[in-house]
């Protein structure tokens, strides 16, 4: 993808994350300080721009989750940074943006959501296996169950609570799940790193 397209996608995505996808191309171009013609020179349609923005967002999410298996850190540090990265990406999204995506592009959202949950679950599994090898996680943990539990807890909460704006603090929830998860995973050696 050409550099200019990436620049426009980044700007548009920042706006969409806060204001949703209902903006006309005129409104979007105005907020981006470019002309509508400029957008059409880089994207064939509003839908193409939407799709490019959603792909960028899903890519950012995967990039932030990659840290869960970073070889330069121990598994506990990776878990903390992975949760923080996931939280950073998810909480930049307004409920309006998520609802617009689900309404306008249900197939893309469903497919990407399934893919993202599976990707996160795989990385959590790899993190747990890494921690067992490092001796910071208890070796008798049910890796498959724990990775599935963590994934569904995080994404289920986000999509069913934050998106519909419940009173529960999302930041508190993510930190609570993280600490609960780590306390359930760590060995005696790992407890010293908490």
């Amino acid at each position: 993808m050409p550099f200019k397209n990436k620049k426009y996608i980044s700007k548009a995505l920042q706006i969409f994350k806060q204001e949703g996808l209902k903006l006309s191309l005129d409104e979007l171009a105005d907020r981006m300080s470019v002309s509508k013609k400029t957008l059409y020179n880089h994207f064939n349609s509003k839908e193409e721009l939407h799709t490019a923005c959603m792909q960028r967002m899903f890519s950012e999410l995967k990039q932030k989750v990659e840290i869960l298996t970073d070889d330069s850190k121990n598994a506990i540090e990776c878990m903390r940074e992975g949760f923080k990265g996931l939280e950073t990406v998810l909480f930049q999204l307004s409920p309006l943006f998520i609802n617009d995506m689900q309404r306008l592009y249900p197939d893309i959202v469903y497919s990407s959501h399934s893919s993202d949950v599976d990707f996160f679950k795989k990385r959590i599994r790899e993190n747990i296996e890494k921690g067992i090898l490092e001796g910071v996680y208890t070796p008798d943990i049910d890796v498959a169950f724990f990775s599935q539990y963590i994934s569904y807890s995080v994404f289920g909460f986000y999509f069913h609570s934050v998106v519909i704006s419940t009173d529960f603090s999302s930041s508190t929830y993510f930190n609570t799940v993280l600490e609960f998860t780590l306390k359930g995973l760590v060995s005696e050696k790992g407890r010293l790193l908490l």
Side-chain angles (χ1 to χ4, degrees), residues 2 24 30 36 42 54 56 59-60 66-67 73-74 80 111 129 139-140 160 162-163 167 169-170 174 177 182:
S24 70
D30 184 53
K36 183 177 175 179
H42 295 281
M54 287 187 292
R56 168 69 62 84
S59 175
E60 286 175 6
E66 286 283 343
I67 191 73
K73 301 172 183 348
N74 70 51
R80 288 186 190 283
S111 169
E129 291 166 347
D140 59 349
H160 295 290
V162 175
V163 171
D167 291 335
S169 165
S170 54
F174 267 67
V177 168
L182 287 172

Side-chain angles (χ1 to χ4, degrees), residues 63-139:
Q63 184 181 9
K64 294 289 186 181
V65 170
E66 286 283 343
I67 191 73
L68 285 166
T69 55
D70 186 335
D71 287 333
S72 69
K73 301 172 183 348
N74 70 51
I76 294 171
E77 292 171 316
C78 290
M79 184 74 81
R80 288 186 190 283
E81 289 187 33
F83 264 70
K84 190 65 173 167
L86 181 67
E87 182 180 8
T88 299
V89 172
L90 291 178
F91 295 112
Q92 291 175 353
L93 310 177
S94 70
L96 180 61
F97 177 63
I98 298 293
N99 289 328
D100 283 352
M101 283 193 327
Q102 290 173 331
R103 185 178 50 78
L104 296 170
Y105 304 101
D107 293 340
I108 293 173
V109 171
Y110 177 76
S111 169
S112 294
H113 176 69
S114 285
S115 172
D116 290 344
V117 171
D118 287 344
F119 182 79
F120 183 70
K121 184 169 48 173
K122 181 178 185 239
R123 287 295 186 254
I124 289 288
R125 182 183 192 116
E126 291 168 353
N127 175 276
I128 295 170
E129 291 166 347
K130 171 182 169 62
I132 290 170
L133 287 175
E134 293 171 353
V136 296
Y137 293 162
T138 185

